[in-house]
Amino acid sequence: MWLNTTASPFLLTGFPGMEKAHHWISIPLLVVYISILLGNGTLLFLIRNNYNLHEPMYYFLAMLAATDLGVTLTTMPTVLGVLWLNHREIGHGACFFQAYFIHTLSIAESGILLSMAYDRFIAICNPLRYSSILTNTKVIKIGMGVLTRAGLSIMPIILCLPWFPYCRSRVLSHAFCLQQDVIKLACANITFNRLYPVVVVFAMVLLDFLIIFFSYTLILKTVMSITSGERAKALNTCVSHICCILVFYVTVVGLTFIHRFGRHAPHVVHITMSYVYFLFPPFMNPVIYSIKTKQIQSGIIRFFSLPHSRA
């Protein structure tokens, strides 16, 4: 292998065969993009400025919102560049950086959902020690641990990419760079880069889901042992998180099934599913918490009614 510094740039792909409709396709994507920025940006603003939301549960929610913003800001500029301007070229360095951040943030989101499950587990199963266990320092350490785990786990396969020769083609399958998409173009032994991501997904994302499932089994067991009034209140604090878990892992499973068993499906189905995977959870998470969490609702109401009160 050798470091490839003078290779031609990769070519991103929009929706093949639908190039004339790219401007129309960009409209709903732009609406979702702006909604994600506004929704997650509003959550971050409310949590930062509302003292009543300075609790571990909302700190983890802020991490989730920041991760969703990161994923969207990493992917959508090149997508809109392809759809609006037909700007398809992307340099190798920019492509590898984009792939690194996309994969890192995706794994980080799984880790944050696991952290939120841990928060709910302590709050319901050990409420008297909640504030002493989940201190601000502990929350920061958990957040740093989640990000470090994601960043280090993805680094080995990304560090390999600049050293591969790319002689088969320059055309990628999406309007953004994914490691599994780039590696298909390499003319080298890519066994490690094919197997390692599978190991990472099973060792982290699947393990995270199993731990979350086990945590909620213990939470449900605890909730069933308390009075009906307190039971409903305890379960209500978990509903938003459970919805976010379902949104994230259902899209992960859907994308995995399309790639593994939908090889004969039209290419546009694969592309559409990739956009669903990257845009649907960031779009839905603020909606879910705005609908199901009273503290977030009241913060939004106060935020939008503030100018009227001054008038």
Side-chain angles (χ1 to χ4, degrees):
M1 295 190 298
W2 60 88
L3 184 59
N4 200 343
T5 57
T6 60
S8 300
F10 294 120
L11 295 178
L12 302 171
T13 301
F15 290 81
M18 304 174 66
E19 285 81 6
K20 293 183 178 179
H22 273 181
H23 285 86
W24 294 106
I25 295 172
S26 70
I27 294 174
L29 289 178
L30 180 63
V31 171
V32 173
Y33 184 30
I34 294 173
S35 299
I36 290 171
L37 297 181
L38 290 177
N40 289 284
T42 300
L43 283 181
L44 289 173
F45 177 83
L46 291 176
I47 293 170
R48 181 182 182 276
N49 292 280
N50 191 336
Y51 183 78
N52 294 327
L53 301 180
H54 289 184
E55 299 177 7
M57 172 182 173
Y58 299 107
Y59 292 149
F60 288 125
L61 177 58
M63 294 179 196
L64 184 66
T67 302
D68 287 338
L69 278 176
V71 171
T72 307
L73 290 171
T74 301
T75 56
M76 288 307 293
T78 56
V79 171
L80 295 178
V82 171
L83 298 180
W84 283 349
L85 307 173
N86 196 33
H87 183 73
R88 298 180 58 198
E89 290 191 353
I90 183 170
H92 284 207
C95 185
F96 301 152
F97 270 111
Q98 186 182 46
Y100 175 73
F101 284 110
I102 287 175
H103 293 298
T104 295
L105 292 172
S106 296
I107 292 180
E109 180 148 357
S110 177
I112 293 169
L113 291 173
L114 173 60
S115 303
M116 296 171 81
Y118 175 66
D119 168 78
R120 291 299 84 203
F121 172 76
I122 298 298
I124 293 174
C125 298
N126 202 350
L128 297 180
R129 297 188 58 205
Y130 179 74
S131 57
S132 61
I133 294 176
L134 280 176
T135 61
N136 289 345
T137 302
K138 184 71 171 291
V139 170
I140 293 173
K141 288 181 179 179
I142 292 174
M144 293 300 295
V146 166
L147 190 58
T148 301
R149 182 191 75 156
L152 292 180
S153 66
I154 291 300
M155 193 170 291
I157 54 174
I158 300 298
L159 289 178
C160 293
L161 296 180
W163 296 87
F164 288 140
Y166 298 94
C167 55
R168 291 199 177 99
S169 171
R170 294 191 298 142
V171 182
L172 300 173
S173 301
H174 299 83
F176 43 81
C177 291
L178 299 175
Q179 184 273 340
Q180 60 267 33
D181 203 10
V182 173
I183 203 64
K184 293 177 182 178
L185 309 183
C187 300
N189 185 352
I190 57 173
T191 302
F192 173 76
N193 283 65
R194 284 189 178 276
L195 295 179
Y196 183 81
V198 177
V199 174
V200 169
V201 169
F202 275 94
M204 294 190 181
V205 178
L206 181 60
L207 182 62
D208 288 351
F209 177 77
L210 292 176
I211 296 174
I212 291 171
F213 181 80
F214 180 68
S215 299
Y216 270 100
T217 301
L218 296 178
I219 288 172
L220 186 60
K221 183 179 178 181
T222 301
V223 167
M224 295 307 293
S225 66
I226 61 181
T227 60
S228 58
E230 291 295 320
R231 183 185 306 165
K233 183 179 179 181
L235 286 174
N236 189 54
T237 64
C238 300
V239 170
S240 300
H241 181 231
I242 293 173
C243 291
C244 290
I245 290 170
L246 291 175
V247 166
F248 178 76
Y249 284 105
V250 166
T251 54
V252 169
V253 171
L255 187 64
T256 302
F257 267 82
I258 285 292
H259 280 306
R260 292 294 177 184
F261 306 108
R263 295 179 181 177
H264 300 293
H267 186 57
V268 68
V269 175
H270 291 261
I271 294 176
T272 303
M273 193 62 206
S274 68
Y275 285 112
V276 170
Y277 171 72
F278 286 115
L279 295 178
F280 189 59
F283 175 78
M284 286 302 301
N285 289 342
V287 174
I288 291 168
Y289 273 91
S290 299
I291 293 174
K292 299 300 297 182
T293 307
K294 291 182 179 179
Q295 291 89 336
I296 298 293
Q297 286 179 0
S298 59
I300 293 174
I301 292 171
R302 283 198 300 271
F303 175 73
F304 284 105
S305 63
L306 188 60
H308 300 289
S309 63
R310 287 178 179 175

